[in-house]
Amino acid sequence: MKPSRREFIKISALGVGAASLSSVVVKAAEKTFFSNEEDNNSKEKRTSTYCEVCFWKCAAWVHTNEQGEIQKVIGHPDDPHSNGRLCPRGTGGVGMYHDEDRLKTPLIRVTDEKGKQTFREATWDEALDLIAKNLKKIAKEHGPECVALFTHGSGGKFWSHLLKAYGSNNISAPSYAQCRGPREVAWIGTFGEELGAIEPTDIRNTKCLVLIGSHIGENMHNGQIQEMSDAIDSDATIITVDPRFSTAASHSKYWLPIKPATDIALLLSWIHVLINEGWYDKEYVEKYTMGFEQLKAHVQTYTPEWAYGITTIEPEVIRRTAREMFNASPAVIIHPGRHVTWYGDDTQRLRSVAILNALLGSWGRRGGFYFGIETSIPGFPHPEYPKPTKTWRDAFPGQYTLADSALANGVCDATIPSASRDCSFKAWIVNGTNLIFTLPNIINTKKAIDNLEFMVVIDTMPMEITGYADVVLPECTYLERYDEIRVSKHRIPTIALREPAAPPKYDSKPGWWMAKELGHKMGLDAFFEYKDIEEVLEWQLNKVGSSLQEMKRLGVKVMDEGEYLLYLQEGEEMEFNTNSGKIELFATSFLDEGFDPLPKYTPHPEPPEGFYRLNYGRAPMHTFSRTANNPNLTDLMDENAVWVNPKVAKIWSLSNNQYVWLENQDGVVSSFPVKVRITERIRWDSVYMVHGFGHKNDKLSRANGRGASDSELITKVMLDPIMGGTGMRGNFVTFRTDKPENGGLL
Ligand SMILES: Nc1nc2c(c(=O)[nH]1)N[C@H]1C(S)=C(S)[C@@H](COP(=O)(O)OP(=O)(O)OC[C@H]3O[C@@H](n4cnc5c(=O)[nH]c(N)nc54)[C@H](O)[C@@H]3O)O[C@H]1N2
Ligand SMILES: Nc1nc2c(c(=O)[nH]1)N[C@H]1C(S)=C(S)[C@@H](COP(=O)(O)OP(=O)(O)OC[C@H]3O[C@@H](n4cnc5c(=O)[nH]c(N)nc54)[C@H](O)[C@@H]3O)O[C@H]1N2
Ligand code: SF4
Ligand SMILES: [Mo]
């Protein structure tokens, strides 16, 4: 491994890097001091947390009244993720604590029928004994590698530790192959590094922000929205490419209502224009990149006129927007997006995005992408993990070779025995992910579950996935527990503490406790040699010059990481972690694995007659399926609607607020009807709905039967051959006004 840039600067270029502590750090450090003085005078009791309603992990203070009841959650002013303000979901996070439908005790399945939530209550001892017994049996009969963990959100570290100690490293999260994976692989192939969970986009300083199906404003990643609003205030040009008139589009100078599934054509024609007009950063390209000549030759036929025929975006608009990007460069961001698993050629689409940024010199530049910095906290000492003899990859020899994380869909597929696979999973531990709604192709997910010998689900709510478990472990909410220290890459290095604001309700327990207890029951005591998590946190914090006591007082601490720089310095030498040490416009690592080193446009199937492309996304007040039953957030929005263009509504004689069922190309009909919203904001060839609704689960009193589930209608998956991401936007739906006899897959 080559040194990271930060190490690189420390080692080789101190002269260049010695511009002393960034003023940002100094300002933030002052804020820490003042904000805590202020709050010390407050009468209310407050404890520190970071939000778990989504994965932006905003740090916050939780306020409790004299009776010890949680009242409200407020953004932490020193936190670069939130800058003291939470989004509506973060504020509504208290609803997770108050939700009376929560899981209350451990549960053990009583019938063989999966998916029906038929359980009896059990004690913790009994539930954990049963899990330990089954996992030991599977290790003996099939090897520990046949157990996989699916996890999303905090707590993942505790369960991963348990699984590795047990002897398996099959640990997957849906945030990879159902979300960010393709862009990370594209970035590694181009710049030699990942973007990471908090994208280092310098939006607040940008002069031009290009959003490609990235609907910031409905996608409520807090700091990002605040920065976008600052950028708009300072007259930055916003260019939004989206078949739907999104909230972001409504704030944009240019809205490009692209024909869905054709973005690569637009991106290639932008590259064509930038290169052929000479609108790129010649010095930067010369100094830091390789492959320019190959790229130039490659894009010659990709003219705006060519792209017009594919994308429906006028050539003049393509040229004008390319010029806007160049005028702003290097303070320009072609945003990499986040949920980018759309059409199966997603890694190549993101490669085009990476190339555009490289041509405009925005990587490592003010108003483009900054180099984020993170504190590293050592892990609590433990014996070496046993070495697993096989991993999920053995099920896919020669496939998805550039995937740099485990594929949740891969583990799911490899659970269904097949002659061509020698790795079939026998047990799943599922923590904090509602796989039934999260993985596309529900039929496949259920088939995999049917093949399991044993499944444990750790959740806070009785969600669809818990219905399939053999044992359900009720976790207390993030407001009632300690968790690992939050470290994240940002402009300033910070750490944040989550501590319980109230004791766990009912008989729920924190994840760290469950993993530790189970570890002991499985005979893995040597991996859990501490009394409780406070001991672990104290040890870790001491290692970085802090303490639990200090963190309880501060909540967020800005770390002194010495000298570092957010942007490339004038004339700075920089080596990138790629084969050539340069930014690779021509991706040699792709070529090495037999993939196109330069992105190409590939056409995708069109909707059949009478069908419309199923497009989905986020609503500001909800997160996936996890908030659909939240009392505070359902007050703001309690069902989704299907957006239909007026032209289409006319053909089908649909009226506003009418309920319809949706049927997809494979004859799957939504379990519930969904309200029609007629609007010019969606193209005539598509419909749109918010993901996370349409629960068929009477344990969820507010969410049950409300709206339709996009997950149910996504039966066709377009797999990305490069990294195995599950393209989900190749599904088409039509309308039904009659109630189907047996609709739905839920
Ligand atoms: N159809 C469709 N599928 C998608 C997407 C889509 O838009 N449409 N989006 C994709 C993307 S981008 C992502 S990142 C993934 C997200 O996938 P998931 O993270 O699986 O999404 P959620 O549906 O929110 O499921 C989270 C689960 O965690 C539980 N939970 C909440 N808090 C806690 C806690 O503190 N502890 C524990 N143990 N459990 C908790 C919730 O009750 C819920 O069951 O989905 C992907 N899949
Ligand atoms: N409120 C809220 N915010 C969230 C989340 C949440 O659950 N709730 N989840 C977070 C997570 S984990 C993620 S990954 C992000 C996801 O958020 P983003 O990465 O911003 O977006 P997506 O969900 O992929 O994309 C939705 C947008 O893509 C457009 N679109 C559909 N098809 C096409 C196409 O072919 N081309 C183009 N150019 N656009 C198209 C849709 O019209 C829609 O506006 O949101 C994050 N923020
Ligand atoms: S963006 Fe909103 S939901 Fe996500 S962590 Fe921050 S406050 Fe919570
Ligand atoms: Mo995501």
Side-chain angles (χ1 to χ4, degrees):
M1 276 293 276
K2 290 178 185 145
S4 69
R5 173 174 178 271
R6 203 175 130 242
E7 287 157 348
F8 183 79
I9 286 181
K10 277 194 169 167
I11 299 161
S12 68
L14 265 177
V16 189
S20 85
L21 262 183
S22 150
S23 60
V24 181
V25 178
V26 177
K27 234 169 76 194
E30 280 169 7
K31 268 171 67 188
T32 305
F33 178 70
F34 290 122
S35 65
N36 282 294
E37 281 239 316
E38 234 169 70
D39 273 286
N40 281 343
N41 297 330
S42 159
K43 297 255 174 338
E44 270 184 317
K45 186 179 166 241
R46 53 167 216 184
T47 45
S48 173
T49 194
Y50 52 88
C51 182
E52 187 75 16
V53 188
C54 88
F55 305 106
W56 202 252
K57 293 189 180 165
C58 296
W61 289 116
V62 189
H63 292 251
T64 38
N65 64 14
E66 278 168 17
Q67 290 75 48
E69 290 157 345
I70 294 174
Q71 300 294 296
K72 58 186 176 187
V73 193
I74 293 183
H76 194 305
D78 303 348
D79 177 35
H81 298 217
S82 69
N83 304 306
R85 281 179 285 164
L86 299 185
C87 84
R89 299 168 299 151
T91 307
V94 283
M96 281 166 103
Y97 168 74
H98 291 298
D99 196 329
E100 68 288 354
D101 293 338
R102 277 172 59 170
L103 290 170
K104 299 183 172 78
T105 65
L107 301 169
I108 292 177
R109 162 178 306 289
V110 287
T111 67
D112 285 341
E113 206 183 2
K114 290 190 180 176
K116 298 283 184 229
Q117 317 258 13
T118 41
F119 300 111
R120 68 173 172 84
E121 295 184 359
T123 63
W124 278 98
D125 220 27
E126 194 185 2
L128 295 174
D129 275 339
L130 185 62
I131 300 170
K133 190 180 109 202
N134 276 284
L135 293 181
K136 279 198 246 172
K137 179 169 170 271
I138 289 170
K140 205 164 146 210
E141 290 172 7
H142 310 281
E145 298 90 346
C146 288
V147 177
L149 167 67
F150 295 86
T151 182
H152 201 193
S154 322
K157 278 252 171 76
F158 307 122
W159 294 103
S160 304
H161 175 62
L162 177 74
L163 199 77
K164 288 183 193 161
Y166 169 74
S168 167
N169 62 3
N170 293 304
I171 300 164
S172 69
S175 46
Y176 187 72
Q178 284 64 52
C179 178
R180 302 188 272 123
R183 77 164 201 207
E184 305 301 3
V185 172
W187 241 253
I188 292 169
T190 314
F191 297 105
E193 61 182 289
E194 285 201 348
L195 282 150
I198 304 288
E199 301 88 5
T201 44
D202 198 14
I203 297 179
R204 71 177 181 207
N205 294 314
T206 201
K207 295 196 185 117
C208 178
L209 175 63
V210 184
L211 301 172
I212 317 233
S214 188
H215 56 329
I216 301 176
E218 288 151 295
N219 152 2
M220 273 313 247
H221 277 168
N222 193 348
Q224 198 167 214
I225 305 217
Q226 294 182 26
E227 294 202 15
M228 182 163 147
S229 121
D230 289 350
I232 291 169
D233 287 347
S234 10
D235 285 332
T237 299
I238 316 285
I239 300 169
T240 296
V241 182
D242 199 312
R244 186 179 64 97
F245 189 68
S246 59
T247 304
S250 71
H251 287 99
S252 301
K253 181 164 170 192
Y254 299 91
W255 171 42
L256 279 54
I258 194 164
K259 178 173 169 186
T262 67
D263 295 76
I264 298 184
L266 172 68
L267 292 159
L268 289 171
S269 72
W270 269 337
I271 297 173
H272 170 102
V273 174
L274 294 185
I275 291 182
N276 284 24
E277 299 292 338
W279 296 342
Y280 61 94
D281 190 330
K282 299 193 180 77
E283 216 182 299
Y284 183 97
V285 166
E286 171 77 17
K287 191 168 170 60
Y288 297 117
T289 75
M290 62 73 78
F292 181 77
E293 288 308 324
Q294 285 117 309
L295 176 67
K296 184 173 175 181
H298 176 74
V299 296
Q300 283 316 303
T301 52
Y302 299 136
T303 61
E305 285 68 25
W306 165 82
Y308 174 51
I310 296 169
T311 62
T312 73
I313 307 299
E314 306 261 352
E316 177 45 30
V317 174
I318 297 178
R319 291 203 170 83
R320 214 171 338 133
T321 44
R323 179 74 213 187
E324 290 268 11
M325 294 178 214
F326 177 61
N327 287 349
S329 66
V332 52
I333 301 166
I334 325 299
H335 199 288
R338 190 172 179 110
H339 171 59
V340 289
T341 46
W342 300 352
Y343 304 108
D345 53 2
D346 307 300
T347 305
Q348 292 294 11
R349 186 179 70 253
L350 273 302
R351 270 274 298 146
S352 319
V353 171
I355 290 171
L356 273 173
N357 280 300
L359 289 174
L360 293 162
S362 66
W363 183 247
R365 307 291 278 279
R366 188 181 164 82
F369 295 78
Y370 61 83
F371 293 119
I373 179 147
E374 141 181 274
T375 296
S376 77
I377 296 202
F380 195 77
H382 60 77
E384 213 177 301
Y385 294 127
K387 282 231 165 358
T389 53
K390 54 182 177 178
T391 78
W392 67 275
R393 277 190 193 277
D394 298 315
F396 306 96
Q399 284 180 279
Y400 319 129
T401 44
L402 289 176
D404 61 322
S405 282
L407 310 175
N409 49 302
V411 172
C412 181
D413 290 351
T415 302
I416 303 168
S418 140
S420 60
R421 292 181 186 135
D422 67 350
C423 175
S424 96
F425 290 99
K426 304 292 180 207
W428 290 359
I429 301 174
V430 181
N431 174 54
T433 168
N434 189 15
L435 293 179
I436 301 292
F437 269 44
T438 299
L439 293 177
N441 193 351
I442 293 178
I443 302 169
N444 192 59
T445 311
K446 287 190 180 181
K447 198 165 152 198
I449 293 174
D450 274 343
N451 277 288
L452 287 174
E453 287 179 13
F454 191 69
M455 177 157 98
V456 187
V457 175
I458 304 105
D459 208 300
T460 52
M461 295 292 297
M463 301 297 275
E464 281 67 19
I465 189 67
T466 55
Y468 294 83
D470 294 295
V471 180
V472 179
L473 301 179
E475 179 154 48
C476 55
T477 67
Y478 71 104
L479 297 167
E480 304 158 288
R481 67 184 196 231
Y482 279 107
D483 244 306
E484 58 177 311
I485 301 290
R486 185 202 80 183
V487 278
S488 60
K489 245 187 182 172
H490 215 288
R491 291 189 183 89
I492 52 169
T494 56
I495 57 173
L497 175 71
R498 177 185 285 168
E499 58 171 327
K505 273 196 177 179
Y506 315 112
D507 197 10
S508 63
K509 299 269 188 196
W512 69 262
W513 180 89
M514 296 179 216
K516 177 170 158 58
E517 288 302 302
L518 199 51
H520 291 304
K521 286 186 187 291
M522 287 164 66
L524 303 169
D525 306 74
F527 291 87
F528 296 91
E529 284 193 336
Y530 46 84
K531 185 170 147 272
D532 53 26
I533 193 172
E534 286 170 78
E535 186 185 331
V536 175
L537 295 177
E538 185 67 37
W539 183 91
Q540 290 185 302
L541 289 167
N542 289 171
K543 290 279 176 207
V544 294
S546 182
S547 66
L548 205 45
Q549 195 193 14
E550 182 187 56
M551 287 309 293
K552 285 185 181 199
R553 184 166 50 82
L554 295 180
V556 171
K557 184 173 181 181
V558 180
M559 306 300 280
D560 180 357
E561 287 285 318
E563 291 151 2
Y564 63 91
L565 295 163
L566 294 178
Y567 311 115
L568 281 168
Q569 301 299 291
E570 187 74 39
E572 182 182 333
E573 293 299 329
M574 162 126 181
E575 200 176 338
F576 295 84
N577 199 10
T578 55
N579 289 335
S580 58
K582 300 263 186 191
I583 297 171
E584 298 205 346
L585 302 174
F586 181 95
T588 57
S589 57
F590 279 44
L591 187 64
D592 290 348
E593 296 300 329
F595 302 118
D596 289 332
L598 291 164
K600 286 187 189 133
Y601 168 72
T602 37
H604 294 301
E606 304 272 331
E609 180 72 32
F611 281 77
Y612 306 89
R613 190 176 292 275
L614 176 63
N615 177 357
Y616 57 82
R618 314 277 172 246
M621 50 301 251
H622 281 281
T623 305
F624 316 117
S625 70
R626 68 175 50 208
T627 53
N629 202 62
N630 179 310
N632 301 46
L633 299 175
T634 45
D635 267 358
L636 304 176
M637 175 179 176
D638 64 355
E639 65 186 309
N640 59 357
V642 57
W643 294 29
V644 180
N645 183 280
K647 222 164 96 179
V648 176
K650 202 161 161 222
I651 298 172
W652 291 86
S653 309
L654 300 176
S655 48
N656 243 335
N657 298 327
Q658 173 187 354
Y659 281 87
V660 293
W661 283 265
L662 299 175
E663 176 169 1
N664 82 355
Q665 73 284 339
D666 296 326
V668 173
V669 187
S670 56
S671 289
F672 300 102
V674 59
K675 207 194 254 183
V676 171
R677 172 176 173 189
I678 300 174
T679 169
E680 294 280 0
R681 290 177 58 184
I682 183 82
R683 281 175 60 110
W684 61 267
D685 52 9
S686 310
V687 296
Y688 176 81
M689 63 200 277
V690 169
H691 167 64
F693 287 87
H695 291 266
K696 190 176 179 184
N697 179 352
D698 58 15
K699 297 268 189 298
L700 300 175
S701 58
R702 278 169 294 272
N704 188 28
R706 309 292 295 177
S709 164
D710 60 332
S711 313
E712 217 176 350
L713 300 164
I714 301 175
T715 49
K716 181 171 177 205
V717 183
M718 300 164 96
L719 275 180
D720 189 324
I722 300 178
M723 50 62 67
T726 51
M728 307 190 198
R729 296 231 171 109
N731 290 266
F732 309 113
V733 294
T734 189
F735 309 100
R736 280 180 67 150
T737 47
D738 56 324
K739 188 172 178 351
E741 257 174 40
N742 9 302
L745 300 174
L746 295 174

